[in-house]
Amino acid sequence: MGRFKWLFLLCMFIALGFVSFSYLRRSPADVDSASRWASSIYDNLPRYKVRGFKGVLDTIDRQDPTRIQEETKRTSENDSNAKTSTPSKELVKDNAQPQTVNITQSGKSTSSDGKQTVLDPNNNKTDTNDSLIVDTEKNRTEATRKPTESGTPPPPTVPPAKRDPKWFLSDDTYTKSKCPSALRKNPEKVPEGLKLIPDIPVLMWDEHVNPEEYARLSQFKMNYGWQGLPYADIKNCLRHLNTSVHRYMFPGWTPDHAGCIRCAVVGNGGILRGSGKGKEIDGHDFVWRVNSAITEGYEDDVGTRTSFYFHDINTMKNSQAATRKFGYKHPPQDKDTIYTTISSGIRDYVYFDAAISWKPVESGRDKSKAPPSQYGERPANTKFRMLHPDFMRYLKYNWLDSPRRRGKLANIYRPTTGGSMLLTALHTCDVTDVYGFITEDHRQYNDHYYEKDWHKVVFYANHDFQMEIEIWDKLDKAGLMNLYRGNKTAAARKRRK
């Protein structure tokens, strides 16, 4: 038995020697195939996806210490050569027809007639026929190649709570203002607990919809991304936002303006009743309103102009239903009014497409036999703006980061529509004067300025009003905005009897 044992061990020794000899004869490329495979994936991930893949590289680094230095050098070179770019694309004509677009596993996008409809996002922007050129769209590192070009598997899922700038697109449009009072010129004034990203994008337009961006934003839900939203519906809506005006909030101004853009941001709080602020509000360059923006009969207190009506379809419809008894039938339809939406779900994309195309809403809760009339008859596409989901996600996590987004209320919490409007104005205007927003002494005022009977302010569970009270107070004291706190007169204040 002992002889068989030694014979077995001898055979094992010979076999191991043969395997080792064969392994050593292989080329370094064959020996390091797993390392190179992981490296190819790593190199082709945009910066916001690298961390999720880091575990694989850590394993390789432990086997080859020189790997760390090589990766650090390569990443540094990529960052220094990185540039922001947008896909080349012809402007869509006003009478363009919707397209049915299919996203295949390979990442390509094809129209119903089988032709390729989305161009390579690595191409540089070529549309220079407009005076306003905004350099945006891609991430803060080199553009990611299409899966069909790189042959890499899908990247890991991105956790939705990341706040670092590398998780958002970059757009320096609103950093170009020469007004010294603009928020982005004064990052040192931002109160503790709030985080400013100066080149955060604000608006979204036609060039933002492509397979790569669809894959990225599909990882975020609600008004923070495109999770669960059909690609074709998004594309059919954004095709209308195809001119230079859709890339900058303010018509008649350029991003590098020398003067200061003065904005009045008007909420519907009862603090405005008897305020006499109407003329002052109308004296601004732009006036922002939200929800039930009733002005008729209240001109002395709230003014008459509406430059931006801020909403999503749900808040607009709910406002109409709730205040019809006060004479509110639809949003302001002034010739200068621009309709700005949060795009909180597929409902907004379908509704905007129908309104601009002047056709009935074909599906969903708003299905109709006639075109939407809330924005007037046959509204021009230049009267519409859409906030970028990255901007809304940035506001939620960097400015309105309520504890309610964790725990029992995590699935329903969202910043108020008015709060989102105020912060949008703060990030785009140079001077922001705020009227009709909730203050610490809100119990001394009626809920809304247009209500004659007493109705106290109601704190709903899906919002964090107390947090917004504190933030508005901090921003006002920091000198980043001017908050109207009431004139403390008997006419303005309506105490509960």
Side-chain angles (χ1 to χ4, degrees), residues 387-448:
L387 296 188
H388 198 288
D390 275 4
F391 183 69
M392 292 306 301
R393 197 167 69 255
Y394 155 78
L395 290 186
K396 180 178 181 179
Y397 292 123
N398 288 36
W399 291 76
L400 299 170
D401 187 22
S402 169
R404 296 192 180 195
R405 75 173 181 84
R406 299 173 286 273
K408 296 180 180 179
L409 302 176
N411 292 329
I412 65 171
Y413 168 72
R414 57 173 287 178
T416 64
T417 308
S420 298
M421 173 182 70
L422 191 161
L423 291 178
T424 301
L426 189 67
H427 279 75
T428 56
C429 304
D430 297 317
V431 177
T432 307
D433 297 325
V434 182
Y435 307 84
F437 275 73
I438 193 168
T439 55
E440 190 61 47
D441 61 346
H442 61 86
R443 294 179 184 85
Q444 301 183 55
Y445 301 98
N446 212 346
D447 193 0
H448 302 107

Side-chain angles (χ1 to χ4, degrees), residues 151-389:
T152 60
T157 299
V158 178
K162 293 294 182 181
R163 309 174 183 214
D164 195 277
K166 68 185 67 172
W167 293 73
F168 304 98
L169 298 185
S170 173
D171 181 357
D172 64 354
T173 300
Y174 299 94
T175 66
K176 298 176 181 178
S177 169
K178 294 181 174 61
C179 178
S181 65
L183 168 68
R184 306 192 197 211
K185 299 289 185 182
N186 298 278
E188 73 284 352
K189 291 186 178 181
V190 176
E192 183 179 358
L194 309 179
K195 181 179 179 181
L196 171 68
I197 300 179
D199 61 345
I200 192 71
V202 177
L203 296 176
M204 177 171 55
W205 55 84
D206 62 333
E207 291 183 350
H208 284 130
V209 56
N210 57 61
E212 287 70 31
E213 275 301 275
Y214 182 71
R216 181 178 74 89
L217 290 174
S218 290
Q219 299 176 83
F220 307 101
K221 57 185 178 181
M222 291 180 63
N223 47 330
Y224 314 114
W226 290 341
Q227 189 176 102
L229 307 185
Y231 184 93
D233 288 330
I234 298 172
K235 190 173 184 66
N236 287 339
C237 174
L238 294 186
R239 69 192 173 96
H240 299 291
L241 310 184
N242 54 30
T243 72
S244 61
V245 302
H246 296 109
R247 306 175 186 185
Y248 188 57
M249 188 69 73
F250 306 108
W253 293 75
T254 59
D256 59 349
H257 55 273
C260 295
I261 297 177
R262 300 176 62 253
C263 296
V265 184
V266 186
N268 300 322
I271 194 172
L272 280 176
R273 189 176 183 88
S275 66
K277 289 292 180 178
K279 186 175 181 180
E280 179 178 309
I281 290 172
D282 282 345
H284 290 74
D285 296 310
F286 297 94
V287 180
W288 302 58
R289 300 187 192 273
V290 66
N291 294 339
S292 301
I294 302 174
T295 58
E296 187 176 355
Y298 304 94
E299 293 87 350
D300 290 343
D301 295 334
V302 303
T304 60
R305 296 175 53 217
T306 302
S307 308
F308 297 99
Y309 178 72
F310 198 95
H311 70 300
D312 61 31
I313 305 305
N314 185 61
T315 60
M316 180 180 70
K317 291 292 187 76
N318 288 346
S319 295
Q320 287 179 233
T323 55
R324 187 174 290 111
K325 59 183 177 182
F326 299 109
Y328 185 68
K329 299 179 181 179
H330 51 69
Q333 295 182 353
D334 304 342
K335 64 181 181 64
D336 297 326
T337 300
I338 294 172
Y339 303 103
T340 306
T341 185
I342 297 176
S343 62
S344 59
I346 195 58
R347 188 180 187 186
D348 297 271
Y349 292 93
V350 171
Y351 205 87
F352 258 36
D353 178 36
I356 301 174
S357 300
W358 197 241
K359 66 180 182 181
V361 179
E362 299 174 352
S363 61
R365 296 170 57 182
D366 306 299
K367 187 175 182 179
S368 61
K369 296 182 180 180
S373 60
Q374 277 79 2
Y375 309 118
E377 184 175 353
R378 296 184 180 277
N381 65 339
T382 54
K383 291 179 68 65
F384 295 84
R385 305 283 192 277
M386 293 192 85
L387 296 188
H388 198 288

Side-chain angles (χ1 to χ4, degrees), residues 460-471:
Y460 296 99
N462 62 327
H463 300 309
D464 193 337
F465 288 96
Q466 185 57 46
M467 177 194 68
E468 293 191 9
I469 289 174
E470 295 171 2
I471 291 177

